[in-house]
Amino acid sequence: MVRKRVTLSQVAQEAGVAASTASLVLAGRADELRISATAQERVREAARRLGYRPNALSAGLRTGSTRTLGFVSDSVASSQLAGEMIRGAIEAARARGYMVFVGETGGDGQLERDLLDAMFDRQVDGIVLATMLTHARTIPTAATRMPTVLLNIEPDGDTDLVQVLPDEYRAGREAARLLVDTGHRRIHLIGVGDDPAHAHPFALAAAQRLRGVLDVLAEEGLRVASAQPAGQWLPPEGFRLTTALVERGEPADALLCFNDRLAMGAYQALQEAGVRVPDDVSVLSFDDTPFARWLRPGLTTFAFPQRALGRRATDELIDLIERARDDGDEGAGPGAAVHLIPLPLRTRESVAERG
């Protein structure tokens, strides 16, 4: 049997006070209006005994806040990366007394607009608009009706929205620096060409990582030994490209794979060719997917900071909401601030010093 919601009037009747008195007590305004301590205790005890819970939507109408956030992403259930972002968002929201409603669009623009409308209708205080793969895109008008933070999205065009992004350029620089500082000179790129403008047809991250790599090599007077583009960053492509590299007999100190799945394929190709990692060739990668630690030898890789991204985006959103509330202006905000989250290095055994 469904239990009916306890009303404020029932609490007031149980406590023997007027409904307006019960409302003031439960809103925390009893002392300023000189309601007696005895009456306050009766109201609170009645609320506890009856299991009264305030209506969040009604409270939101009174206070201007429902203490709820929306998280709208192109991928939720189908992506571990998105799942970790959401976990980080929920952790940050809970720590500051907010709840999160999550919606998945599957990349459908109309569904995204419908979800944003639904979040707006339910009076969420703000939205995190997210995507699984970092890319540039047009921001829907519906996202501008409430405080919004963009997560893993670079807006296509001018915007005053706050952005939280992984620092892919810095990761590319750090990857190249690690290889150069450990004596590697003949570095082959697996998964991208050598032109940042056409690094990968789907991921802005590829171009940013590549630009970082090329900048460090140029500073050292070096060039990549080769760049092997791939339409899909999956193990078969890593295997195919590395096999072709070995068969051509090109000298190599290191393979810099642009994600762990490519690196897995590269491992298999090198093993079949009798090339040892890292004794003969070092392998370095990005993303730190779960299998990276189980490859033998363990894969050194830069971790995609999905949970940190979710936490930072949510904290930025709550800061924006509360700053606007304090200023009494829903449009108040810092402008188009961009917050870059570093990709931490996971050092394992796939990179060796070269003499």
PDB file of all heavy atoms in Angstrom, residues 57 66 70 72 101 113-127 142-147 330:
ATOM      1  N   LEU A  57       9.842  21.075  -4.000  1.00  0.00           N
ATOM      2  CA  LEU A  57       9.456  22.020  -5.049  1.00  0.00           C
ATOM      3  C   LEU A  57       8.808  23.258  -4.450  1.00  0.00           C
ATOM      4  O   LEU A  57       9.106  24.384  -4.827  1.00  0.00           O
ATOM      5  CB  LEU A  57       8.501  21.330  -6.031  1.00  0.00           C
ATOM      6  CG  LEU A  57       8.104  22.136  -7.273  1.00  0.00           C
ATOM      7  CD1 LEU A  57       9.353  22.560  -8.039  1.00  0.00           C
ATOM      8  CD2 LEU A  57       7.168  21.324  -8.152  1.00  0.00           C
ATOM      9  N   THR A  66      16.087  24.721  -5.127  1.00  0.00           N
ATOM     10  CA  THR A  66      15.636  23.359  -4.814  1.00  0.00           C
ATOM     11  C   THR A  66      16.798  22.477  -4.364  1.00  0.00           C
ATOM     12  O   THR A  66      16.598  21.310  -4.032  1.00  0.00           O
ATOM     13  CB  THR A  66      14.991  22.712  -6.052  1.00  0.00           C
ATOM     14  OG1 THR A  66      15.946  22.683  -7.130  1.00  0.00           O
ATOM     15  CG2 THR A  66      13.756  23.490  -6.491  1.00  0.00           C
ATOM     16  N   GLY A  70      21.131  19.302 -12.426  1.00  0.00           N
ATOM     17  CA  GLY A  70      20.968  18.379 -13.541  1.00  0.00           C
ATOM     18  C   GLY A  70      22.329  18.036 -14.135  1.00  0.00           C
ATOM     19  O   GLY A  70      23.218  18.884 -14.201  1.00  0.00           O
ATOM     20  N   VAL A  72      23.470  16.341 -17.662  1.00  0.00           N
ATOM     21  CA  VAL A  72      23.003  15.857 -18.960  1.00  0.00           C
ATOM     22  C   VAL A  72      24.222  15.532 -19.812  1.00  0.00           C
ATOM     23  O   VAL A  72      25.064  16.390 -20.061  1.00  0.00           O
ATOM     24  CB  VAL A  72      22.119  16.910 -19.658  1.00  0.00           C
ATOM     25  CG1 VAL A  72      21.709  16.427 -21.043  1.00  0.00           C
ATOM     26  CG2 VAL A  72      20.881  17.205 -18.809  1.00  0.00           C
ATOM     27  N   PHE A 101      20.202  15.053 -10.652  1.00  0.00           N
ATOM     28  CA  PHE A 101      19.373  14.300 -11.583  1.00  0.00           C
ATOM     29  C   PHE A 101      20.204  14.073 -12.848  1.00  0.00           C
ATOM     30  O   PHE A 101      20.794  15.012 -13.377  1.00  0.00           O
ATOM     31  CB  PHE A 101      18.098  15.056 -11.950  1.00  0.00           C
ATOM     32  CG  PHE A 101      17.163  15.271 -10.794  1.00  0.00           C
ATOM     33  CD1 PHE A 101      16.477  16.474 -10.654  1.00  0.00           C
ATOM     34  CD2 PHE A 101      16.949  14.284  -9.857  1.00  0.00           C
ATOM     35  CE1 PHE A 101      15.616  16.685  -9.595  1.00  0.00           C
ATOM     36  CE2 PHE A 101      16.086  14.476  -8.790  1.00  0.00           C
ATOM     37  CZ  PHE A 101      15.406  15.684  -8.659  1.00  0.00           C
ATOM     38  N   ARG A 113      17.545  18.558 -25.896  1.00  0.00           N
ATOM     39  CA  ARG A 113      16.689  19.728 -25.649  1.00  0.00           C
ATOM     40  C   ARG A 113      15.519  19.364 -24.733  1.00  0.00           C
ATOM     41  O   ARG A 113      15.149  20.127 -23.836  1.00  0.00           O
ATOM     42  CB  ARG A 113      16.188  20.303 -26.974  1.00  0.00           C
ATOM     43  CG  ARG A 113      17.288  21.003 -27.786  1.00  0.00           C
ATOM     44  CD  ARG A 113      16.729  21.732 -28.978  1.00  0.00           C
ATOM     45  NE  ARG A 113      16.224  20.824 -30.001  1.00  0.00           N
ATOM     46  CZ  ARG A 113      16.971  20.277 -30.957  1.00  0.00           C
ATOM     47  NH1 ARG A 113      18.277  20.538 -31.014  1.00  0.00           N
ATOM     48  NH2 ARG A 113      16.437  19.467 -31.853  1.00  0.00           N
ATOM     49  N   ASP A 114      14.938  18.173 -24.961  1.00  0.00           N
ATOM     50  CA  ASP A 114      13.822  17.734 -24.115  1.00  0.00           C
ATOM     51  C   ASP A 114      14.268  17.554 -22.665  1.00  0.00           C
ATOM     52  O   ASP A 114      13.548  17.928 -21.727  1.00  0.00           O
ATOM     53  CB  ASP A 114      13.251  16.417 -24.644  1.00  0.00           C
ATOM     54  CG  ASP A 114      12.519  16.584 -25.968  1.00  0.00           C
ATOM     55  OD1 ASP A 114      12.201  17.736 -26.329  1.00  0.00           O
ATOM     56  OD2 ASP A 114      12.292  15.566 -26.651  1.00  0.00           O
ATOM     57  N   LEU A 115      15.462  16.980 -22.467  1.00  0.00           N
ATOM     58  CA  LEU A 115      15.967  16.776 -21.112  1.00  0.00           C
ATOM     59  C   LEU A 115      16.256  18.114 -20.423  1.00  0.00           C
ATOM     60  O   LEU A 115      15.946  18.291 -19.236  1.00  0.00           O
ATOM     61  CB  LEU A 115      17.230  15.917 -21.141  1.00  0.00           C
ATOM     62  CG  LEU A 115      17.025  14.413 -21.309  1.00  0.00           C
ATOM     63  CD1 LEU A 115      18.358  13.723 -21.576  1.00  0.00           C
ATOM     64  CD2 LEU A 115      16.366  13.822 -20.068  1.00  0.00           C
ATOM     65  N   LEU A 116      16.835  19.031 -21.168  1.00  0.00           N
ATOM     66  CA  LEU A 116      17.108  20.350 -20.586  1.00  0.00           C
ATOM     67  C   LEU A 116      15.795  21.053 -20.214  1.00  0.00           C
ATOM     68  O   LEU A 116      15.698  21.684 -19.157  1.00  0.00           O
ATOM     69  CB  LEU A 116      17.922  21.196 -21.567  1.00  0.00           C
ATOM     70  CG  LEU A 116      19.374  20.751 -21.775  1.00  0.00           C
ATOM     71  CD1 LEU A 116      20.005  21.522 -22.928  1.00  0.00           C
ATOM     72  CD2 LEU A 116      20.191  20.933 -20.507  1.00  0.00           C
ATOM     73  N   ASP A 117      14.787  20.919 -21.070  1.00  0.00           N
ATOM     74  CA  ASP A 117      13.485  21.501 -20.747  1.00  0.00           C
ATOM     75  C   ASP A 117      12.904  20.856 -19.487  1.00  0.00           C
ATOM     76  O   ASP A 117      12.338  21.538 -18.621  1.00  0.00           O
ATOM     77  CB  ASP A 117      12.512  21.306 -21.912  1.00  0.00           C
ATOM     78  CG  ASP A 117      12.808  22.228 -23.086  1.00  0.00           C
ATOM     79  OD1 ASP A 117      13.526  23.229 -22.888  1.00  0.00           O
ATOM     80  OD2 ASP A 117      12.327  21.940 -24.201  1.00  0.00           O
ATOM     81  N   ALA A 118      13.038  19.523 -19.391  1.00  0.00           N
ATOM     82  CA  ALA A 118      12.501  18.820 -18.222  1.00  0.00           C
ATOM     83  C   ALA A 118      13.221  19.242 -16.947  1.00  0.00           C
ATOM     84  O   ALA A 118      12.591  19.431 -15.894  1.00  0.00           O
ATOM     85  CB  ALA A 118      12.621  17.306 -18.431  1.00  0.00           C
ATOM     86  N   MET A 119      14.536  19.404 -17.028  1.00  0.00           N
ATOM     87  CA  MET A 119      15.290  19.861 -15.857  1.00  0.00           C
ATOM     88  C   MET A 119      14.849  21.270 -15.461  1.00  0.00           C
ATOM     89  O   MET A 119      14.668  21.573 -14.272  1.00  0.00           O
ATOM     90  CB  MET A 119      16.790  19.855 -16.162  1.00  0.00           C
ATOM     91  CG  MET A 119      17.380  18.494 -16.495  1.00  0.00           C
ATOM     92  SD  MET A 119      17.580  17.433 -15.063  1.00  0.00           S
ATOM     93  CE  MET A 119      18.465  16.043 -15.819  1.00  0.00           C
ATOM     94  N   PHE A 120      14.666  22.128 -16.453  1.00  0.00           N
ATOM     95  CA  PHE A 120      14.231  23.496 -16.188  1.00  0.00           C
ATOM     96  C   PHE A 120      12.844  23.502 -15.545  1.00  0.00           C
ATOM     97  O   PHE A 120      12.594  24.229 -14.574  1.00  0.00           O
ATOM     98  CB  PHE A 120      14.222  24.290 -17.495  1.00  0.00           C
ATOM     99  CG  PHE A 120      13.858  25.737 -17.340  1.00  0.00           C
ATOM    100  CD1 PHE A 120      14.773  26.646 -16.852  1.00  0.00           C
ATOM    101  CD2 PHE A 120      12.587  26.184 -17.691  1.00  0.00           C
ATOM    102  CE1 PHE A 120      14.441  27.994 -16.706  1.00  0.00           C
ATOM    103  CE2 PHE A 120      12.246  27.517 -17.544  1.00  0.00           C
ATOM    104  CZ  PHE A 120      13.170  28.418 -17.057  1.00  0.00           C
ATOM    105  N   ASP A 121      11.930  22.686 -16.085  1.00  0.00           N
ATOM    106  CA  ASP A 121      10.571  22.624 -15.544  1.00  0.00           C
ATOM    107  C   ASP A 121      10.559  22.133 -14.097  1.00  0.00           C
ATOM    108  O   ASP A 121       9.679  22.509 -13.310  1.00  0.00           O
ATOM    109  CB  ASP A 121       9.700  21.707 -16.397  1.00  0.00           C
ATOM    110  CG  ASP A 121       9.417  22.282 -17.779  1.00  0.00           C
ATOM    111  OD1 ASP A 121       9.624  23.497 -17.970  1.00  0.00           O
ATOM    112  OD2 ASP A 121       9.017  21.510 -18.676  1.00  0.00           O
ATOM    113  N   ARG A 122      11.511  21.269 -13.753  1.00  0.00           N
ATOM    114  CA  ARG A 122      11.598  20.753 -12.382  1.00  0.00           C
ATOM    115  C   ARG A 122      12.425  21.654 -11.480  1.00  0.00           C
ATOM    116  O   ARG A 122      12.750  21.308 -10.363  1.00  0.00           O
ATOM    117  CB  ARG A 122      12.144  19.329 -12.397  1.00  0.00           C
ATOM    118  CG  ARG A 122      11.080  18.335 -12.848  1.00  0.00           C
ATOM    119  CD  ARG A 122      11.676  17.042 -13.379  1.00  0.00           C
ATOM    120  NE  ARG A 122      10.620  16.114 -13.768  1.00  0.00           N
ATOM    121  CZ  ARG A 122       9.916  16.203 -14.898  1.00  0.00           C
ATOM    122  NH1 ARG A 122      10.151  17.209 -15.741  1.00  0.00           N
ATOM    123  NH2 ARG A 122       8.976  15.322 -15.193  1.00  0.00           N
ATOM    124  N   GLN A 123      12.801  22.814 -12.011  1.00  0.00           N
ATOM    125  CA  GLN A 123      13.440  23.879 -11.250  1.00  0.00           C
ATOM    126  C   GLN A 123      14.767  23.459 -10.619  1.00  0.00           C
ATOM    127  O   GLN A 123      15.060  23.804  -9.470  1.00  0.00           O
ATOM    128  CB  GLN A 123      12.477  24.425 -10.183  1.00  0.00           C
ATOM    129  CG  GLN A 123      11.218  25.004 -10.782  1.00  0.00           C
ATOM    130  CD  GLN A 123      10.324  25.678  -9.760  1.00  0.00           C
ATOM    131  OE1 GLN A 123      10.709  25.864  -8.624  1.00  0.00           O
ATOM    132  NE2 GLN A 123       9.134  26.060 -10.169  1.00  0.00           N
ATOM    133  N   VAL A 124      15.582  22.698 -11.378  1.00  0.00           N
ATOM    134  CA  VAL A 124      16.932  22.457 -10.881  1.00  0.00           C
ATOM    135  C   VAL A 124      17.651  23.792 -10.804  1.00  0.00           C
ATOM    136  O   VAL A 124      17.342  24.742 -11.533  1.00  0.00           O
ATOM    137  CB  VAL A 124      17.708  21.477 -11.790  1.00  0.00           C
ATOM    138  CG1 VAL A 124      17.021  20.124 -11.844  1.00  0.00           C
ATOM    139  CG2 VAL A 124      17.903  22.041 -13.192  1.00  0.00           C
ATOM    140  N   ASP A 125      18.600  23.890  -9.905  1.00  0.00           N
ATOM    141  CA  ASP A 125      19.326  25.151  -9.719  1.00  0.00           C
ATOM    142  C   ASP A 125      20.342  25.411 -10.811  1.00  0.00           C
ATOM    143  O   ASP A 125      20.752  26.555 -11.024  1.00  0.00           O
ATOM    144  CB  ASP A 125      20.036  25.145  -8.363  1.00  0.00           C
ATOM    145  CG  ASP A 125      19.048  25.176  -7.205  1.00  0.00           C
ATOM    146  OD1 ASP A 125      17.937  25.698  -7.394  1.00  0.00           O
ATOM    147  OD2 ASP A 125      19.382  24.668  -6.123  1.00  0.00           O
ATOM    148  N   GLY A 126      20.791  24.357 -11.494  1.00  0.00           N
ATOM    149  CA  GLY A 126      21.772  24.524 -12.552  1.00  0.00           C
ATOM    150  C   GLY A 126      22.046  23.209 -13.252  1.00  0.00           C
ATOM    151  O   GLY A 126      21.581  22.148 -12.823  1.00  0.00           O
ATOM    152  N   ILE A 127      22.818  23.280 -14.339  1.00  0.00           N
ATOM    153  CA  ILE A 127      23.065  22.125 -15.206  1.00  0.00           C
ATOM    154  C   ILE A 127      24.562  21.951 -15.454  1.00  0.00           C
ATOM    155  O   ILE A 127      25.279  22.928 -15.707  1.00  0.00           O
ATOM    156  CB  ILE A 127      22.374  22.317 -16.573  1.00  0.00           C
ATOM    157  CG1 ILE A 127      20.861  22.229 -16.429  1.00  0.00           C
ATOM    158  CG2 ILE A 127      22.863  21.292 -17.595  1.00  0.00           C
ATOM    159  CD1 ILE A 127      20.332  20.836 -16.255  1.00  0.00           C
ATOM    160  N   ALA A 142      18.618  26.159 -24.790  1.00  0.00           N
ATOM    161  CA  ALA A 142      17.972  25.760 -23.530  1.00  0.00           C
ATOM    162  C   ALA A 142      18.952  25.748 -22.367  1.00  0.00           C
ATOM    163  O   ALA A 142      18.544  25.920 -21.209  1.00  0.00           O
ATOM    164  CB  ALA A 142      17.327  24.384 -23.689  1.00  0.00           C
ATOM    165  N   ALA A 143      20.246  25.552 -22.652  1.00  0.00           N
ATOM    166  CA  ALA A 143      21.239  25.503 -21.569  1.00  0.00           C
ATOM    167  C   ALA A 143      21.550  26.875 -21.006  1.00  0.00           C
ATOM    168  O   ALA A 143      22.167  26.979 -19.942  1.00  0.00           O
ATOM    169  CB  ALA A 143      22.521  24.850 -22.075  1.00  0.00           C
ATOM    170  N   THR A 144      21.126  27.936 -21.696  1.00  0.00           N
ATOM    171  CA  THR A 144      21.456  29.284 -21.245  1.00  0.00           C
ATOM    172  C   THR A 144      20.365  29.887 -20.357  1.00  0.00           C
ATOM    173  O   THR A 144      20.502  31.015 -19.903  1.00  0.00           O
ATOM    174  CB  THR A 144      21.690  30.212 -22.462  1.00  0.00           C
ATOM    175  OG1 THR A 144      20.460  30.334 -23.206  1.00  0.00           O
ATOM    176  CG2 THR A 144      22.760  29.641 -23.370  1.00  0.00           C
ATOM    177  N   ARG A 145      19.281  29.122 -20.097  1.00  0.00           N
ATOM    178  CA  ARG A 145      18.193  29.649 -19.270  1.00  0.00           C
ATOM    179  C   ARG A 145      18.479  29.505 -17.784  1.00  0.00           C
ATOM    180  O   ARG A 145      17.717  30.012 -16.955  1.00  0.00           O
ATOM    181  CB  ARG A 145      16.883  28.923 -19.596  1.00  0.00           C
ATOM    182  CG  ARG A 145      16.405  29.162 -21.012  1.00  0.00           C
ATOM    183  CD  ARG A 145      15.103  28.436 -21.262  1.00  0.00           C
ATOM    184  NE  ARG A 145      15.240  27.004 -21.052  1.00  0.00           N
ATOM    185  CZ  ARG A 145      14.255  26.126 -21.251  1.00  0.00           C
ATOM    186  NH1 ARG A 145      13.065  26.547 -21.626  1.00  0.00           N
ATOM    187  NH2 ARG A 145      14.456  24.838 -21.057  1.00  0.00           N
ATOM    188  N   MET A 146      19.521  28.797 -17.427  1.00  0.00           N
ATOM    189  CA  MET A 146      19.851  28.562 -16.025  1.00  0.00           C
ATOM    190  C   MET A 146      21.363  28.488 -15.912  1.00  0.00           C
ATOM    191  O   MET A 146      22.060  28.339 -16.920  1.00  0.00           O
ATOM    192  CB  MET A 146      19.196  27.260 -15.551  1.00  0.00           C
ATOM    193  CG  MET A 146      19.708  26.012 -16.248  1.00  0.00           C
ATOM    194  SD  MET A 146      18.630  24.573 -16.031  1.00  0.00           S
ATOM    195  CE  MET A 146      17.876  24.490 -17.671  1.00  0.00           C
ATOM    196  N   PRO A 147      21.937  28.584 -14.714  1.00  0.00           N
ATOM    197  CA  PRO A 147      23.390  28.423 -14.583  1.00  0.00           C
ATOM    198  C   PRO A 147      23.843  27.088 -15.173  1.00  0.00           C
ATOM    199  O   PRO A 147      23.276  26.040 -14.856  1.00  0.00           O
ATOM    200  CB  PRO A 147      23.597  28.466 -13.066  1.00  0.00           C
ATOM    201  CG  PRO A 147      22.452  29.259 -12.547  1.00  0.00           C
ATOM    202  CD  PRO A 147      21.282  28.895 -13.428  1.00  0.00           C
ATOM    203  N   GLU A 330      20.378  36.213 -11.280  1.00  0.00           N
ATOM    204  CA  GLU A 330      20.557  34.891 -11.866  1.00  0.00           C
ATOM    205  C   GLU A 330      21.564  34.905 -12.993  1.00  0.00           C
ATOM    206  O   GLU A 330      22.124  33.873 -13.354  1.00  0.00           O
ATOM    207  CB  GLU A 330      19.213  34.364 -12.388  1.00  0.00           C
ATOM    208  CG  GLU A 330      18.234  34.022 -11.275  1.00  0.00           C
ATOM    209  CD  GLU A 330      16.996  33.339 -11.818  1.00  0.00           C
ATOM    210  OE1 GLU A 330      16.945  33.092 -13.027  1.00  0.00           O
ATOM    211  OE2 GLU A 330      16.090  33.062 -11.023  1.00  0.00           O
TER     212      GLU A 330
END
